[in-house]
Amino acid sequence: MLTYNIMTEKEKYDICNWKYEDEYSIYNLMHYDLMKKNNLFLADMNNKSRLLYSFYDNKNLVGFINLKDTETGIFLGIGVNPLYCNKGYGKEIINISSVIAKEKFNKNNLYLEVRTWNKRAICCYKKSGFEIIGTAFMQKTNIGYGEFFRMIKNLGENK
């Protein structure tokens, strides 16, 4: 059973040091000091509608989530430590995140955006109750444009 907590400054540094390989390297984050300097992502202190949590298996930091309240539902961003990918942690983190999201924001729609080529993540999300909605779309990211699917999970249903 995973445990979780509100993300600490130390965890933010640790997460920014994770290094993914091959095509997944696009998920490598900039150094946390640079994020703080530019008030970006994990260091964005102006975003009061967002919650950041870290997840542990015993003493091992296995993942994190970013939950954000939006007009269309609750946005979920998820990251799994590259040392622990393909071991079932993503699904467990999402299941816990669904409970947190419903409790904190009291909305029924949890959604995320995933790159269309990331079959590993799409499979995990589907196993966790998400469905692809609509067609793929282009979206600008900090590394350029990419093609994404929007996936939604209804938190009012037991999945």
Side-chain angles (χ1 to χ4, degrees):
M1 174 83 176
L2 296 181
T3 59
Y4 62 93
N5 57 265
I6 293 174
M7 192 180 292
T8 66
E9 285 292 297
K10 181 190 179 314
E11 291 164 343
K12 291 175 184 181
Y13 278 101
D14 292 344
I15 289 165
C16 288
N17 286 324
W18 292 351
K19 295 299 173 213
Y20 299 90
E21 295 184 4
D22 302 321
E23 67 269 20
Y24 297 101
S25 66
I26 65 169
Y27 297 115
N28 292 338
L29 299 174
M30 68 179 69
H31 194 276
Y32 185 59
D33 286 333
L34 188 56
M35 279 189 197
K36 288 194 320 187
K37 180 180 177 184
N38 294 294
N39 199 38
L40 297 172
F41 188 41
L42 298 178
D44 182 358
M45 302 313 294
N46 296 324
N47 196 335
K48 303 300 182 201
S49 65
R50 187 185 67 191
L51 301 172
L52 298 169
Y53 289 91
S54 301
F55 289 79
Y56 285 85
D57 186 356
N58 294 311
K59 294 183 180 181
N60 300 316
L61 177 59
V62 297
F64 74 93
I65 61 164
N66 165 30
L67 291 173
K68 184 178 177 187
D69 189 14
T70 72
E71 289 181 15
T72 58
I74 307 158
F75 174 80
L76 170 66
I78 180 173
V80 175
N81 184 326
L83 299 174
Y84 299 100
C85 287
N86 286 327
K87 299 184 188 300
Y89 289 109
K91 184 177 179 194
E92 191 172 351
I93 290 170
I94 290 170
N95 291 341
I96 295 168
S97 300
S98 299
V99 174
I100 295 170
K102 183 71 173 173
E103 177 185 294
K104 298 290 184 184
F105 298 108
N106 196 29
K107 290 185 176 178
N108 287 333
N109 286 329
L110 185 64
Y111 74 94
L112 53 81
E113 293 162 350
V114 59
R115 291 180 184 273
T116 56
W117 60 260
N118 195 342
K119 306 298 183 210
R120 180 172 77 184
I122 292 168
C123 181
C124 173
Y125 302 150
K126 285 182 175 180
K127 287 180 182 177
S128 300
F130 282 86
E131 297 176 11
I132 294 174
I133 303 299
T135 58
F137 61 94
M138 296 300 291
Q139 179 168 282
K140 186 175 182 179
T141 71
N142 60 334
I143 60 167
Y145 283 90
E147 186 177 44
F148 291 80
F149 287 126
R150 181 180 174 106
M151 298 184 76
I152 294 179
K153 178 179 182 178
N154 184 330
L155 298 178
E157 299 175 2
N158 292 325
K159 291 196 176 191

